[in-house]
Amino acid sequence: MATVMETQNGIKQTLAYPQKKPAPRIWRLLKAYPLVFLGGILVLGLIFVAVFAPELQHFNPNQQFQNGLSAMGGPLPPNSTFVFGTDDLGRDIYSRVLFGARVSLEVGVFSSIISLFIGTSFGIISGYFGKFVDTVIMRLTDIMLAFPLILFVVALVASLGQSITNLFIAIGVLGWAVTARVVRAQVLSVKEYEYVQAAKALGASNWRILTKIIFPNIIPPVIVLTTLSIGNNMLLESTLSYLGIGVAPPNASWGNMLAEGQQVFQYAPWLLYYPGLALLLAVLGFNLLGDGLREAFNPRRVR
């Protein structure tokens, strides 16, 4: 900002005042999209609960307590001893919800990493080399997208065996198709840039072009897609556990807790409330964070 002032000898002088520095990009993003901040808080809270679940728990999540049942042998509502109440076996719901967060986050993160690696590899190869390679990979992608993912996962988990490790392997190995399509589209755009053509003209190898030039330019959309896929994979894990195919009892999972609570919902609704609310907040947090990152990395967004 500048102001014109006239001195005593009649000479006009322009005084420039230092302007305020623009707010950091992340602060502008939070001001424009406050739900991004909420999503980040929810995700950080989930990570904190999952990491420190053993320190935050009140009881062993699989331990059955005689004083955890009512006089009629049913679950207890929330009270001073069991803050979230107990289930029909006398187990502490609070501790089980905490360890359910650990299971959901573990499956969501590791399955997303696996699908990210497979999908990114296929997408880069398909988009860069094109022709026959592109046709084969894209037809395989179409086959994967033509059938519901949950059916493939159920079949693979049934053949591998029911465990947390097999669960996130199955989800990751079968969930790469969307990532491959997104990465392919980005590579098709980036490889036409002048600096990529210049690198080819200078004799750079395909490996160097893919790893040093193309891959760094597709990182932002891949990060957004991975963030969104973590929430989706957590929801898929809960669905499979609800159906009895995911995490095997007595291990705590939000999905199998919902399945157990559904049977006694009429007289013990808290068995559904707490794991259902935890799952809702976790998936909501990753979706809000992913939407915010998409806006932050959007090149058409007004800065």
Side-chain angles (χ1 to χ4, degrees), residues 15-303:
L15 299 179
Y17 297 98
Q19 298 182 355
K20 295 182 179 180
K21 294 183 179 180
R25 183 178 180 182
I26 185 65
W27 176 244
R28 296 201 306 269
L29 177 65
L30 292 178
K31 289 180 64 177
Y33 303 94
L35 291 181
V36 177
F37 178 74
L38 176 60
I41 293 297
L42 292 176
V43 170
L44 290 177
L46 175 64
I47 296 174
F48 177 82
V49 168
V51 172
F52 296 101
E55 287 72 25
L56 297 174
Q57 69 176 357
H58 290 172
F59 306 101
N60 187 313
N62 297 327
Q63 184 176 355
Q64 302 179 16
F65 297 92
Q66 292 183 350
N67 63 340
L69 298 173
S70 64
M72 301 297 293
L76 289 178
N79 54 68
S80 58
T81 303
F82 305 101
V83 293
F84 284 1
T86 61
D87 60 10
D88 54 347
L89 296 178
R91 296 174 297 189
D92 181 39
I93 295 298
Y94 170 78
S95 300
R96 292 181 65 78
V97 168
L98 293 180
F99 277 83
R102 172 172 286 189
V103 171
S104 293
L105 188 61
E106 179 182 354
V107 173
V109 170
F110 284 108
S111 61
S112 297
I113 291 175
I114 295 174
S115 62
L116 171 68
F117 176 78
I118 299 175
T120 302
S121 301
F122 280 167
I124 289 178
I125 294 172
S126 176
Y128 183 75
F129 292 101
K131 299 181 180 179
F132 178 75
V133 175
D134 182 36
T135 301
V136 171
I137 294 178
M138 284 300 100
R139 295 298 76 77
L140 179 60
T141 303
D142 292 338
I143 294 174
M144 298 298 297
L145 293 174
F147 295 93
L149 175 61
I150 190 171
L151 296 182
F152 280 143
V153 174
V154 168
L156 188 55
V157 170
S159 60
L160 294 177
Q162 193 173 1
S163 69
I164 297 177
T165 302
N166 292 338
L167 184 60
F168 69 69
I169 289 176
I171 296 175
V173 169
L174 298 173
W176 55 266
V178 175
T179 303
R181 276 193 173 279
V182 173
V183 171
R184 173 182 176 270
Q186 293 294 320
V187 173
L188 288 175
S189 175
V190 172
K191 76 174 186 178
E192 300 299 329
Y193 291 167
E194 293 180 355
Y195 54 82
V196 177
Q197 300 299 325
K200 290 181 179 180
L202 292 174
S205 63
N206 290 331
W207 174 255
R208 182 174 181 82
I209 293 174
L210 289 174
T211 57
K212 301 296 184 180
I213 301 177
I214 292 182
F215 181 72
N217 284 278
I218 65 173
I219 288 178
V222 168
I223 293 176
V224 174
L225 190 63
T226 303
T227 305
L228 294 172
S229 68
I230 292 176
N232 293 334
N233 290 342
M234 291 174 62
L235 192 58
L236 180 57
E237 177 275 322
S238 297
T239 302
L240 295 172
S241 298
Y242 175 83
L243 296 174
I245 305 170
V247 179
N251 295 322
S253 166
W254 291 338
N256 60 31
M257 292 178 67
L258 290 172
E260 295 167 358
Q262 185 183 17
Q263 303 174 7
V264 294
F265 172 71
Q266 293 183 347
Y267 60 90
W270 60 88
L271 296 183
L272 287 179
Y273 291 161
Y274 295 112
L277 180 61
L279 179 61
L280 171 65
L281 294 177
V283 176
L284 177 64
F286 279 104
N287 286 341
L288 291 177
L289 185 60
D291 288 340
L293 292 176
R294 179 168 55 192
E295 291 295 332
F297 293 134
N298 186 5
R300 296 183 179 87
R301 178 175 176 266
V302 179
R303 304 298 172 182

